[in-house]
Amino acid sequence: MEAGPVDSGPTDGDWAAAEALLRGLSSDARVLLICHVNPDGDALGSMLGFGLGLRRLGVRRLQATFPGPPEVPEPFRGLPGLDLLVPAAEAYPAPDLVICFDAASESRLGDLVDRLERAGAALVLDHHASNTRFGGVNLVDPRAAATSVVAEQLLTRLGVPLDAGIAECLYVALTTDTGSFRFEATTPAVHEMAARLLATGIRPGDISRRVFDTRPFGAVRLFGEALGRARLEPAAAGGRGLVWTWAGLDDLARHGQRPYVLEALIDSVRCTAEADVSCVVKQTAPDEWAVSLRSKGAVDVSRVAVALGGGGHRFAAGFTGHGTVDEIVDRIRAHLDGAVIGSVTG
Ligand code: AMP
Ligand code: MN
Ligand code: MN
């Protein structure tokens, strides 16, 4: 059963419990870090940044992993701490401590939930309001712009100083989830954290070019095709408008591209002035689609995503869909009217 939304951040007791877990580790304890499936910049960045911090604390038996194929998307292949990564199949079968990053529920850990069940203790670091608090200790702060905000706070409490490696990971995480400081979550505290990270000497121009502004030419052409078939439905979402497109496995194959290149497609779709809601439906298997939803503020797309078996934030959410693209978009349309903010849901 899902727990209700968590409105406020971790309590003093939660922080103390997390600190105690980490300070109480024996010198040969096996620590396994896990982030969510299809990891994004926040998942990988908060996990690897925290992992590098644990290494500085003297944790020697330390692994980081994520469910699915052990393939790091090209934009993140320059991240410090990648040497911590192991394929899911090689992760400690029964770790002393598991720490989960940016995952709102156990379902986001795929096959790795068994590590959670067999772990001596489980700590959850996250910022999704829908987090089900599936750890023994949960540091869940829905007001945090990224999981890396929570990770930095915990490192500070543990007395781990920021170095350039940790900072680069946390910076990638922070810029990913704030849309490079463009989204509403960009508070003064976010810029203060960015200042602390930049003070370590990391190079924001190089990092942003690598993470956000580089893609293969095949992906540029693929985006052209996918954008060319985008549909605008001004009447959807109670007249706020929906814009959507899709990309299939055959599109990826034709352009010789890996699935992760499609993660950025939503950013080219959501700029549509005539629609509050944007959607990209991305095929991941013959009958499986990863659906991305975004809103400019009139619609709580997490309501739609949760109703269809997924999750996320008010203005950025997603779910896994089955059937045809038209069937999936039909299901989305059916939930959009009830997700307009201020509307009553049943
Ligand atoms: P994405 O569109 O993949 O960038 O995801 C946007 C947000 O939606 C993420 O931050 C996740 O919190 C959430 N999300 C995406 N896909 C799923 C899913 N299948 N299940 C639960 N949450 C999801
Ligand atoms: Mn994420
Ligand atoms: Mn996140």
Side-chain angles (χ1 to χ4, degrees), residues 36 40 42-43 102:
H36 67 70
D40 54 22
D42 189 28
D102 205 37

Side-chain angles (χ1 to χ4, degrees), residues 203-289:
R203 299 178 59 90
D206 290 348
I207 296 170
S208 300
R209 195 172 312 105
R210 236 188 302 128
V211 174
F212 303 113
D213 296 333
T214 303
R215 71 183 61 125
F217 185 57
V220 173
R221 310 252 330 211
L222 169 55
F223 275 38
E225 268 183 39
L227 291 173
R229 61 185 173 224
R231 309 269 180 83
L232 175 65
E233 301 182 15
R240 271 74 174 178
L242 165 70
V243 58
W244 63 274
T245 192
W246 59 280
L249 292 176
D250 55 336
D251 296 314
L252 288 167
R254 202 169 50 257
H255 291 283
Q257 295 305 304
R258 308 289 302 143
Y260 69 78
V261 303
L262 295 173
E263 297 306 307
L265 182 56
I266 188 73
D267 292 319
S268 302
V269 177
R270 68 181 171 80
C271 55
T272 303
E274 295 87 345
D276 183 82
V277 179
S278 50
C279 169
V280 174
V281 184
K282 299 162 280 188
Q283 194 172 24
T284 48
D287 181 42
E288 191 184 272
W289 304 78

Side-chain angles (χ1 to χ4, degrees), residues 30 32 56 62 81 174:
R30 289 150 309 170
L32 178 63
R56 287 196 66 145
L62 180 62
L174 192 63

Side-chain angles (χ1 to χ4, degrees), residues 42 102 127-128 146-147 177 313:
D42 189 28
D102 205 37
H127 68 129
H128 291 91
T147 295
D177 271 25
H313 311 279

Side-chain angles (χ1 to χ4, degrees), residues 3 5 56 116 160 228 273 280 304:
R56 287 196 66 145
L116 203 64
V160 180
V280 174
V304 179

Side-chain angles (χ1 to χ4, degrees), residues 179-196:
S180 298
F181 310 108
R182 286 173 298 166
F183 301 157
E184 220 60 63
T186 310
T187 58
V190 164
H191 280 292
E192 281 156 13
M193 174 170 164
R196 288 191 294 280

